[in-house]
Amino acid sequence: MTAIDQARFDANWRAITAELDAPRPTRIERLLRAVRVPTHVVRMIVATPALRRSWYLSVLAVVLVGLGGADPANRDSLFALLVLAPMLPVLGVALAYGSAADPSHEIQLATPTHGLRLVAIRSVTVLVVSIAIVVPLAALSEAARPMAVAWLLPALAVTAASLALMTFLPPRQATAAVAVGWFTATLITRLAADDPLAAFTAVGQLVAIGVAIAAVAVAISRRSSFENLEYAA
Amino acid sequence: MTPAHLHVQGVVKRFGDRVALDHVDMLAQGGLCAVLGPNGAGKSTLLRCVATVLQPDSGTISIDGLDPSRERERIEARARLGYAPQDAGFDTRVRAFDALDLMAVLKGIDDDRRRRRIVFEVLDRVGLGNRSADRIGDLSGGMRRRLVLAQALIGAPSLLVLDEPAAGLDPDERLRLREILGERRRTSTVLVATHLTDEAAICDAVIVLGESTIRFSGTPAQLATRASGQVWVQDGFPPPDVRASWQQADGRHRCLGRPPEGVELVEPSLEEGYLIVQDLRSTPA
């Protein structure tokens, strides 16, 4: 009988049993892997059940789209949809980040993965899921179709603004502040232009791009705040 | 692997008007170092600063010469770190394996197969290898604490920072924890916050924190000797001016304080040394 290297045998055996014993990937994991999302990124997304709240919010958005489409002539219901839809990703991020949402938050802060990277991955996930649900359904609705994508840049802007503000305030306070700012801005624009959808015209979209760029710059320059328990609580 | 060199110098941390750490200094390289102190003494704040999740207001922390206040060095220091906070846990809806797999990802282990092997190694080490597919909500409180410890072991860190790791563990689990700590003392610097003196007794060094400052730094034996000549046993009730006393199983009273003439002095315990160290500062000279 040939002598075997026991240490090598043990290492190989451990590797085999680890492969066999690993729990089966969930449906969402398999779906994300199928669309070529890297496995470690899939893990960051899937092992965060708090993100599911944002998906539920997206479903709520679908209901809102349905309501908006009930009366094609009603620009007020379209206004309500366009004002609320961009806040869904922001709420999703706020509900999925920080000690209040995630009991492992403090442990995660002490890892070499940058806090901004983690929160950015989660923000993008929430944004993509919201878009994936809201856009096709809005396009199906006769009333919402013209504006099916009009909320995307504002959503990007308010999500980036909430990330920037999270470097100064806890996540939920930052989100509340952004929500107040966003609702105020859209109301003022509506009253000034005497048009419910004035904030979503080409000029409004350009302003949204500007806000998004500025907010991302602030979040990057103050990224150390995402590394500190006092800020990132 | 070489244990990390940890140097804390003049660290001050305030929360509003409250001073949580007041010019704290410590040095450690290799072995187990217990941080003892009453509730509110600053143990968790010190550990959070060492674990780089809190930034001191002044003073410096160095991990293998790396300064965590600088971004690049902080990331490098965190790669050497395993941290188990006191109140942390995991989402109860997640499976034990998935929670640790995420932590392995965050610790920079991107290769799937290597990550799976490491996750099962640490799960086995804390006795949860057969519960990997269970949702965390289905695990007992002690098992959840072990899971938090398991994530700290991922990546074989050279600096382990454990805040009250024995809290909520039953005697069997405590023994397992001691085994793990015993193994790690050879390869890591292990900082353990505890209020249990029997946990501190197995450590190589002890730091006693009280009212935000370090009151003692030395070995467990040196801490015990602080009560030398102040512990005795006697029949009958102790005098009223003793600092502490309790009745032993044999009916005699063990007393701590200034001994009366002619009593039988005994070897002090670590707990008695700890009480003397805490008492010396809080009693006016």
Coordinates of all heavy atoms in Angstrom, one line a residue, chain A residues 18 21 71 76 99 109 111 113 128 141 151 171 189 192 225:
Chain A
A18 N -16.7 20.3 2.7 CA -17.2 21.7 2.6 C -18.1 21.9 1.4 O -19.2 22.5 1.5 CB -16.1 22.7 2.6
D21 N -21.3 19.9 2.1 CA -22.2 20.3 3.2 C -22.7 21.7 3.0 O -23.6 22.1 3.8 CB -21.4 20.3 4.5 CG -21.0 18.8 5.0 OD1 -21.7 17.9 4.4 OD2 -20.1 18.6 5.8
D71 N -56.7 56.6 -14.0 CA -57.3 57.7 -14.7 C -56.3 58.4 -15.5 O -55.5 59.2 -15.0 CB -57.9 58.7 -13.6 CG -58.6 59.9 -14.3 OD1 -58.6 59.9 -15.5 OD2 -59.0 60.8 -13.5
D76 N -52.5 64.6 -11.3 CA -52.2 64.7 -9.9 C -51.7 63.3 -9.4 O -50.8 63.2 -8.6 CB -53.4 65.2 -9.0 CG -53.5 66.7 -9.1 OD1 -52.5 67.3 -9.4 OD2 -54.7 67.2 -9.0
S99 N -26.9 50.0 12.6 CA -27.2 49.1 13.7 C -28.6 48.8 13.9 O -29.0 47.7 14.3 CB -26.6 49.7 15.0 OG -25.2 50.0 14.9
L109 N -18.4 46.6 10.3 CA -17.5 47.8 10.2 C -16.1 47.4 10.4 O -15.2 48.1 9.9 CB -18.0 48.7 11.3 CG -19.1 49.7 11.1 CD1 -19.2 50.7 12.3 CD2 -18.9 50.5 9.8
T111 N -14.4 45.0 9.4 CA -13.8 44.2 8.3 C -13.0 45.1 7.3 O -13.3 46.3 7.3 CB -14.8 43.3 7.6 OG1 -15.7 44.2 6.9 CG2 -15.6 42.4 8.5
T113 N -13.5 45.4 4.3 CA -14.3 46.0 3.2 C -14.8 47.4 3.6 O -15.3 47.6 4.7 CB -15.6 45.1 3.0 OG1 -15.1 43.8 2.5 CG2 -16.5 45.7 1.9
V128 N -31.8 49.0 -8.5 CA -32.0 48.1 -9.6 C -33.3 47.3 -9.5 O -34.1 47.2 -10.4 CB -30.8 47.1 -9.8 CG1 -31.1 46.0 -10.8 CG2 -29.6 47.8 -10.3
S141 N -48.9 50.9 -18.0 CA -50.0 51.7 -17.7 C -50.1 52.9 -18.6 O -49.1 53.6 -18.9 CB -49.8 52.2 -16.2 OG -50.5 53.4 -16.0
W151 N -38.8 59.2 -13.4 CA -38.4 59.2 -12.0 C -37.0 58.7 -11.7 O -36.5 58.7 -10.6 CB -39.4 58.4 -11.1 CG -39.4 56.9 -11.5 CD1 -40.0 56.4 -12.6 CD2 -38.7 55.9 -10.8 NE1 -39.7 55.0 -12.6 CE2 -39.0 54.7 -11.5 CE3 -38.0 55.8 -9.6 CZ2 -38.5 53.5 -11.1 CZ3 -37.5 54.6 -9.2 CH2 -37.7 53.4 -9.9
P171 N -28.5 56.9 9.5 CA -29.3 56.6 8.2 C -30.7 57.1 8.2 O -31.2 57.7 7.2 CB -29.2 55.1 8.1 CG -27.9 54.7 8.9 CD -27.8 55.7 10.0
T189 N -41.7 73.6 -6.9 CA -41.6 73.6 -8.4 C -43.0 73.5 -9.0 O -43.3 74.3 -10.0 CB -40.8 72.4 -8.9 OG1 -39.6 72.3 -8.1 CG2 -40.4 72.6 -10.4
A192 N -44.7 76.9 -8.4 CA -44.1 78.0 -9.2 C -44.4 77.9 -10.7 O -44.7 78.9 -11.4 CB -42.6 78.0 -9.0
S225 N -16.6 58.4 7.3 CA -17.7 58.3 8.2 C -18.4 57.0 8.2 O -19.0 56.6 9.2 CB -18.8 59.4 7.9 OG -18.1 60.7 7.9

